[in-house]
Amino acid sequence: MPDLPTLLWKEPALVLISNLAWPDLQPGSEDHVIVPVGALEPHGPHLPLGSDTMISDHFAHRLAHEIGGHVAPTLGYGVATPSQRLGGTFPGVISISGATFTAVVTEVLASLARHGYRRLVLVNSAIDNISFLCEAARDLTERSPGVRVMIVNWWDVVGEDFRDALARESGTARRDDHHAGMVESSLVMHISPHAVRTDRLPVDGAVERPRRISYHLYPQPADTATSSGIVYTAAGAGAELGERVADQVARQLADAVRREFAAPLPS
């Protein structure tokens, strides 16, 4: 069976901007444009480097399918995540500086606004992109009256009650379920099962226990690093759980976008 993006590309309600010829790019005032934003960085030994980008792509396509929006090309390079969140320094961090990232996002959004889009949604899956996305959105909306920008991370809309229920069912506390943990691993298992190396997940709960700190130290303390890059736990991850999470996020995301763009746009 074709994957979700392949199916959605065939839906008349979904328009990928990169597939259009220039005479067909005529956005109406009610059209949303959705920009998936990801990153390229390690997610333990079991998930692909592009996990964040895969997740953003997935939810951007589902959102466009739900609300009839347009999908812009993905921004797949993000701002580097601190090594303590990755469990150490591993190959695969391919990032750009915050200044460059902000400039790129600002110019992409400005171009979309210049072509007539007034409802812009950034679907992001990399936590260290957030402040720079906000800076770009502030810059654009200050210079472009009549434009509204929504920045949403998939975890913003999954719902507290839903996450609490997952924690109770799985026995995995939420404090142990962040980067490359149970929920994120499950999402990628659902979205792109062939890209996940399940044989590299720890067996029988045998995981390292690095010291976790909520602040940042440079260079990274040795006791906060791991040999595998699994800082949290991916125990209990599975495609079925990922499908539940994906369906929940997709519903909540569409509801949030409808709600935030129901009010009149600023003039």
Side-chain angles (χ1 to χ4, degrees):
M1 179 178 180
D3 60 16
L4 181 66
T6 300
L7 290 173
L8 291 180
W9 287 9
K10 298 178 181 178
E11 291 287 347
L14 176 65
V15 175
L16 296 174
I17 290 178
S18 57
N19 283 359
L20 298 177
W22 70 261
D24 303 316
L25 185 65
Q26 298 181 16
S29 61
E30 299 299 311
D31 287 332
H32 298 79
V33 62
I34 303 156
V35 185
V37 185
L40 199 64
E41 64 188 23
H43 284 71
H46 60 295
L47 295 182
L49 297 170
S51 291
D52 291 331
T53 305
M54 291 177 178
I55 293 171
S56 290
D57 278 340
H58 177 83
F59 288 123
H61 282 89
R62 290 188 68 164
L63 178 61
H65 181 63
E66 184 68 27
I67 67 174
H70 303 161
V71 179
T74 303
L75 298 175
Y77 294 107
V79 179
T81 296
S83 58
Q84 70 187 52
R85 288 185 184 158
L86 305 179
T89 302
F90 301 93
V93 177
I94 302 177
S95 63
I96 54 182
S97 70
T100 299
F101 180 78
T102 304
V104 169
V105 174
T106 301
E107 293 184 21
V108 168
L109 296 182
S111 292
L112 292 169
R114 188 164 57 249
H115 290 306
Y117 291 102
R118 296 293 178 263
R119 302 163 181 263
L120 288 73
V121 182
L122 297 170
V123 177
N124 176 58
S125 296
I127 193 169
D128 289 278
N129 290 343
I130 296 172
S131 59
F132 303 101
L133 292 173
C134 291
E135 182 64 24
R138 279 194 295 266
D139 183 79
L140 175 72
T141 53
E142 287 174 359
R143 293 187 293 108
S144 302
V147 173
R148 177 168 292 157
V149 180
M150 181 176 182
I151 302 163
V152 59
N153 312 295
W154 67 264
W155 57 86
D156 291 335
V157 294
V158 70
E160 295 299 312
D161 291 343
F162 183 85
R163 286 298 303 271
D164 288 342
L166 284 185
R168 288 192 299 269
E169 291 174 22
S170 65
T172 299
R174 290 184 61 175
R175 66 178 177 273
D176 295 326
D177 189 16
H178 295 285
H179 180 84
M182 181 184 72
V183 168
E184 188 172 31
S185 296
S186 295
L187 275 175
V188 181
M189 288 177 178
H190 168 60
I191 293 168
S192 187
H194 300 298
V196 180
R197 291 294 303 269
T198 55
D199 58 307
R200 292 178 178 169
L201 287 169
V203 178
D204 299 327
V207 296
E208 297 173 82
R209 298 292 181 185
R211 181 168 66 98
R212 297 177 191 165
I213 54 178
S214 56
Y215 39 84
H216 298 94
L217 288 173
Y218 293 88
Q220 181 180 0
D223 63 351
T224 66
T226 71
S227 62
S228 66
I230 299 180
V231 179
Y232 303 97
T233 177
E240 184 177 347
L241 189 152
E243 183 176 14
R244 286 177 59 195
V245 175
D247 289 346
Q248 169 75 2
V249 170
R251 284 192 300 270
Q252 296 290 95
L253 177 59
D255 287 347
V257 171
R258 290 190 182 102
R259 180 170 59 251
E260 299 306 331
F261 286 94
L265 296 177
S267 60

